[in-house]
C-alpha cells in the first residue's frame, strides 16, 4: 500500500484511512540541536551594541526543522569561549544531530572547531559552491555535527541543498532530491567561476530572473525569490541559455 520511506501527508493518511488502517508504523522524529556561534549575535527584540547583528539564522532554522517534522532543541548562542563551548556541546548527548551556524574555520578564535577536534573529528571543511563554501561536517563524542555558514543566504542554500536531504534520509525517506527543471535564463552571467553557484531567482514570463544583489548576507534576496537558479562551475550562461531552477517550495517542506 505505502512503501517504506513514504512521507505521510494528507493523501497518504487518507489512503490508509480508506483501507481501515488506524495505526501505521513510522520512524521516530529526528532530534536536532540548533546553536549559533559568536558574541556578535543578538536575539531580535533586544538592542544592538557596536559590531552586533540580529540572529536571523536561528529563527530560520527552527521554523524549517519543524516543517520537516524534526524535534528541535534550541541550544541558544555559543559564546566565544572554549570552556563554555565544551560544556554546552557536552550537554547535547541525547540528540541525533548538532546543527550550528557561524561556520568552522582554522582561526585561533574558532572554539567550535577546536572542541570538535578535541572530542571528535572534523571530516569536511569547505565546499566548491557559492554561497556556502565554509560548510563543515564532523562528530562530537559520536554525535554528527553540521556547521552551516553564518551568512543568512549561505545558511539557506546549504541547509536546503545539503542538510535537508540528510535529515530526510535519517527519517527513512528514500527520494530526497528536490524537483528541478530546465528553464531559459533571463539574465547574462558575467564570467565563469570555479564554484557552482545558487542564485536567488524567480520565474517571470517563462524565464528565470535573478535578484540584483546576490551577496550571501542579503536574506531579502530569498524573500523576493521563488527558487534557486543553478550556474554550474566553468559556465557563463546568457539570456536564453538553459539553467536549472529549484523551487523554494521543494526545499522548505
Amino acid at each position: 500500500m505505502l512503501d517504506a520511506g513514504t512521507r505521510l501527508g494528507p493523501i497518504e493518511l487518507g489512503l490508509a484511512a480508506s483501507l481501515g488502517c488506524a495505526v501505521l508504523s513510522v520512524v521516530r522524529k529526528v532530534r536536532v540541536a540548533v546553536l549559533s556561534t559568536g558574541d556578535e549575535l543578538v536575539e531580535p527584540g533586544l538592542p544592538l551594541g557596536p559590531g552586533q547583528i540580529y540572529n536571523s539564522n536561528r529563527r530560520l532554522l527552527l521554523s524549517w526543522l519543524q516543517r520537516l517534522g524534526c524535534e528541535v532543541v534550541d541550544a541558544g548562542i555559543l559564546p566565544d569561549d572554549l570552556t563554555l563551548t565544551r560544556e554546552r556541546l557536552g550537554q547535547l548527548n541525547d540528540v541525533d544531530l548538532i546543527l550550528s551556524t557561524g561556520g568552522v574555520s582554522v582561526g585561533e578564535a574558532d572554539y567550535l572547531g577546536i572542541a570538535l577536534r578535541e572530542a571528535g573529528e572534523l571530516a569536511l571543511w569547505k565546499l566548491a559552491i557559492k554561497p556556502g563554501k565554509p560548510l563543515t561536517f564532523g562528530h562530537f563524542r559520536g554525535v554528527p555535527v553540521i556547521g552551516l555558514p553564518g551568512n543568512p543566504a549561505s545558511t539557506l542554500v546549504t541547509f536546503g541543498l545539503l542538510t535537508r536531504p540528510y535529515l530526510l534520509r535519517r527519517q527513512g525517506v528514500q527520494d530526497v532530491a528536490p524537483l528541478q527543471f530546465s528553464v531559459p535564463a533571463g539574465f547574462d552571467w558575467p564570467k565563469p567561476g570555479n564554484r557552482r553557484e545558487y542564485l536567488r531567482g524567480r520565474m517571470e514570463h517563462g524565464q528565470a530572473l535573478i535578484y540584483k544583489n546576490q551577496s550571501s548576507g542579503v536574506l531579502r534576496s530569498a524573500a523576493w525569490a521563488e527558487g534557486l537558479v543553478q550556474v554550474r562551475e566553468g559556465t557563463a550562461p546568457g539570456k536564453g541559455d538553459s539553467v536549472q531552477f529549484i523551487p523554494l517550495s521543494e526545499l522548505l517542506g
Side-chain angles (χ1 to χ4, degrees):
M1 181 182 67
L2 293 173
D3 294 332
T6 300
R7 298 182 73 184
L8 298 179
I11 294 175
E12 290 76 17
L13 292 173
L15 174 60
S18 72
L19 298 174
C21 297
V23 178
L24 296 174
S25 297
V26 297
V27 177
R28 72 168 178 84
K29 292 183 177 181
V30 178
R31 197 158 194 253
V32 183
V34 177
L35 54 87
S36 307
T37 62
D39 289 338
E40 75 279 6
L41 297 177
V42 175
E43 291 301 326
L46 299 176
L48 288 177
Q52 293 185 318
I53 58 173
Y54 285 119
N55 186 9
S56 60
N57 287 332
R58 172 178 169 272
R59 298 291 178 93
L60 172 73
L61 293 177
L62 293 180
S63 175
W64 205 339
L65 288 165
Q66 290 168 353
R67 291 183 66 163
L68 291 174
C70 297
E71 182 182 345
V72 183
V73 177
D74 185 357
I77 298 174
L78 277 181
D80 290 331
D81 181 281
L82 182 56
T83 299
L84 292 176
T85 297
R86 292 191 188 110
E87 292 177 358
R88 189 78 63 82
L89 290 175
Q91 296 168 358
L92 301 175
N93 53 10
D94 60 344
V95 298
D96 302 303
L97 173 69
I98 298 173
L99 183 64
S100 72
T101 59
V104 176
S105 68
V106 294
E108 293 182 0
D110 170 29
Y111 302 112
L112 179 59
I114 293 172
L116 291 180
R117 294 180 184 96
E118 287 178 346
E121 62 169 345
L122 188 58
L124 181 152
W125 179 60
K126 289 187 180 181
L127 294 176
I129 64 173
K130 183 179 181 180
K133 180 180 178 180
L135 180 134
T136 58
F137 179 78
H139 291 83
F140 181 82
R141 299 178 182 173
V143 179
V145 179
I146 295 179
L148 302 177
N151 284 327
S154 300
T155 297
L156 182 143
V157 169
T158 51
F159 185 92
L161 296 179
L162 300 165
T163 309
R164 173 186 174 273
Y166 172 85
L167 289 169
L168 292 179
R169 280 291 175 88
R170 291 290 300 266
Q171 292 174 330
V173 179
Q174 296 300 311
D175 186 7
V176 299
L179 171 71
Q180 55 182 302
F181 46 90
S182 297
V183 299
F187 59 91
D188 293 312
W189 196 240
K191 62 179 181 179
N194 58 5
R195 289 187 281 165
R196 188 167 302 184
E197 302 204 34
Y198 293 93
L199 313 173
R200 277 71 71 205
R202 66 193 305 174
M203 296 297 300
E204 290 188 6
H205 306 296
Q207 59 183 1
L209 303 181
I210 58 174
Y211 194 71
K212 58 184 178 180
N213 186 349
Q214 291 290 324
S215 169
S216 59
V218 180
L219 194 56
R220 182 178 298 176
S221 62
W224 172 89
E226 298 171 344
L228 301 178
V229 179
Q230 182 190 95
V231 174
R232 297 182 68 87
E233 58 275 24
T235 67
K239 289 182 179 179
D241 291 341
S242 180
V243 292
Q244 291 294 305
F245 186 82
I246 306 171
L248 285 177
S249 58
E250 283 290 301
L251 300 177
L252 292 174

